[in-house]
Amino acid sequence: MARVFDRKLILEDGSEYLGYGFGSRRSGICEIVFDTSMAGYQEIVSDPSYTDQAVVMTYPLIGGYGIADEDFETRFPTIGGLIVGEYNDHPSNFRCTKTLSEILEDYNIPGIEGVDTRRLTRHLRENGSCRGLFTSVRMPVEEALELIRSTPVPTDAVTRVSCRKPWRSRTANPRHHVVVLDCGLKLSMLRALNERGCNLTVVPYNTTAEQVLALKPDGLFITSGPGDPANVHTVEELVHDLRGKLPIFGVGLGHLLIARAYGASTSRMTAGHRGGNHPVRELATGKIGITAQSHDYTVDEASIAGTGLEVSYRDLLDNTIDGLCCKEDRVLTAQFHPEGAPGPQDFIHLFDEFISLMKEDSHNA
């Protein structure tokens, strides 16, 4: 017997995409974006950078290896929804503890399969990300559009995903103490720093410079996260107050916030960069690596002049800025995710560079 469509996605331009529901069956309005990763759907679903966004997976079959408890990037996923071409609810993996649908249901995240993801991805690539509604197949389009128009666009994503109070992640035989500013922390970033001999104190995004210095850190790490960097003024102020006082490393949203703290501007991209297959050039060496990215905003090229920042990495697809540095202030940034998760680790050495900056700082103290 043929399956009958029971769910659909309605975009704000009135276009409809029919499919079958999995995960939570709730209705929800999200920004619709696409991700070109071929694997790592669990890490994507649990990456706070996707808060309030529904992700279209361009890889055609999703769910085949299920969910493993050790692979979550956050304890409480906040992704808006998941859109796939074909969903496999019978995974084959010795590490599997749950299916993808079960996890989406646990966290009230809607999913839809059977969608023409090629058509939808082309629409988003050519016209830009847009808002959409997960709903029953019976929902009239005009009613859905009115609901989308009347629903405010959230601007407090970082506030919602950041921790509420400081907590610690320790390692054996620590050599450094790093304060981690949580703007939407991925646990793989903590692991990368722990593995390099760092004890970590994770603090909320709105922690002040005085509070950071009171912890006597050797360095400050600013995480990736969701939303528009222009909505996170407190982090800009923190970086402005701390630059030159200790080594600072920012990834993803952290990269954008550091740029803004130095006086550069940021702007929204048409469709953003998402996936584990973005080629990037390291300008100092000429090395080209493949990176994992998940962002909607970029640093404006013309705004870098006079800030004291230098471009250190460039995206080879569109020549956008993918990394910055200020040698005098011991600051470095990456728009991409050096730790992968999911994706390659061609530039994992950025964490080692951060460690080197802290070592040099301690020797000069």
Side-chain angles (χ1 to χ4, degrees):
M1 184 176 177
R3 295 175 71 186
V4 177
F5 291 128
D6 61 352
R7 302 287 287 174
K8 66 180 176 181
L9 178 69
I10 302 175
L11 302 187
E12 61 184 338
D13 64 2
S15 56
E16 297 180 274
Y17 295 83
L18 302 180
Y20 314 100
F22 68 102
S24 171
R25 300 307 171 101
R26 73 171 177 87
S27 294
I29 296 172
C30 312
E31 180 187 9
I32 313 299
V33 301
F34 66 89
D35 191 298
T36 57
S37 298
M38 297 178 67
Y41 55 79
Q42 179 176 350
E43 290 89 342
I44 290 167
V45 164
S46 59
D47 182 350
S49 297
Y50 291 108
T51 300
D52 300 327
Q53 294 180 327
V55 178
V56 182
M57 299 297 298
T58 62
Y59 191 75
L61 179 62
I62 300 296
Y65 53 85
I67 296 293
D69 290 341
E70 300 88 353
D71 294 343
F72 282 104
E73 287 296 328
T74 185
R75 297 179 179 88
F76 302 100
T78 52
I79 190 172
L82 193 65
I83 304 158
V84 305
E86 182 180 353
Y87 169 65
N88 180 357
D89 201 41
H90 302 284
S92 176
N93 177 5
F94 74 97
R95 297 175 65 237
C96 174
T97 54
K98 284 189 175 183
T99 68
L100 175 58
S101 183
E102 288 170 338
I103 287 298
L104 295 186
E105 191 171 2
D106 287 346
Y107 293 100
N108 202 26
I109 300 166
I112 184 170
E113 65 156 325
V115 168
D116 185 347
T117 51
R118 288 170 63 95
R119 173 188 160 213
L120 179 52
T121 299
R122 283 196 298 269
H123 182 284
L124 297 172
R125 187 184 62 205
E126 294 166 6
N127 301 289
S129 303
C130 63
R131 301 178 83 198
L133 172 67
F134 285 84
T135 187
S136 165
V137 74
R138 296 184 295 275
M139 167 74 84
V141 173
E142 286 304 319
E143 185 178 337
L145 294 179
E146 178 56 34
L147 185 59
I148 294 172
R149 284 192 292 265
S150 63
T151 302
V153 177
T155 59
D156 62 342
V158 170
T159 303
R160 285 182 279 126
V161 299
S162 181
C163 61
R164 298 291 180 266
K165 61 180 182 179
W167 60 280
R168 290 173 175 78
S169 178
R170 297 182 176 89
T171 189
N173 302 312
R175 295 182 294 278
H176 302 285
H177 173 218
V178 175
V179 167
V180 177
L181 196 71
D182 182 6
C183 297
L185 174 67
K186 291 175 61 181
L187 296 177
S188 55
M189 294 178 178
L190 295 191
R191 288 191 289 270
L193 290 167
N194 281 152
E195 289 167 0
R196 287 162 174 78
C198 297
N199 272 350
L200 310 173
T201 302
V202 183
V203 298
Y205 79 99
N206 56 354
T207 301
T208 65
E210 292 76 15
Q211 291 170 324
V212 168
L213 293 175
L215 295 169
K216 301 186 184 309
D218 300 310
L220 173 68
F221 179 76
I222 305 176
T223 73
S224 57
D228 185 344
N231 294 327
V232 200
H233 299 294
T234 55
V235 179
E236 289 183 45
E237 295 169 4
L238 172 73
V239 174
H240 184 273
D241 292 343
L242 290 181
R243 64 185 191 180
K245 296 181 180 178
L246 76 173
I248 302 176
F249 181 22
V251 170
L253 182 63
H255 153 83
L256 297 168
L257 291 168
I258 288 173
R260 291 180 64 88
Y262 272 80
S265 60
T266 54
S267 58
R268 189 178 179 88
M269 307 172 75
T270 300
H273 289 173
R274 296 176 187 82
N277 44 17
H278 283 264
V280 168
R281 185 190 301 275
E282 184 178 37
L283 300 187
T285 63
K287 175 185 176 182
I288 295 173
I290 305 301
T291 66
Q293 303 191 15
S294 58
H295 63 96
D296 290 290
Y297 294 82
T298 186
V299 178
D300 298 324
E301 187 77 33
S303 70
I304 293 295
T307 63
L309 295 172
E310 299 177 17
V311 179
S312 52
Y313 292 86
R314 282 198 182 277
D315 192 291
L316 293 184
L317 297 180
D318 57 12
N319 206 40
T320 51
I321 296 171
D322 267 350
L324 297 164
C325 65
C326 178
K327 295 178 182 178
E328 181 181 355
D329 290 344
R330 296 153 297 155
V331 169
L332 67 156
T333 78
Q335 178 71 87
F336 51 87
H337 295 253
E339 80 291 345
Q345 299 183 340
D346 291 7
F347 294 122
I348 190 71
H349 64 79
L350 273 165
F351 286 100
D352 299 312
E353 289 184 26
F354 181 48
I355 301 300
S356 296
L357 289 177
M358 290 190 289
K359 286 181 180 178
E360 292 172 11
D361 205 45
S362 64
H363 290 157
N364 294 332

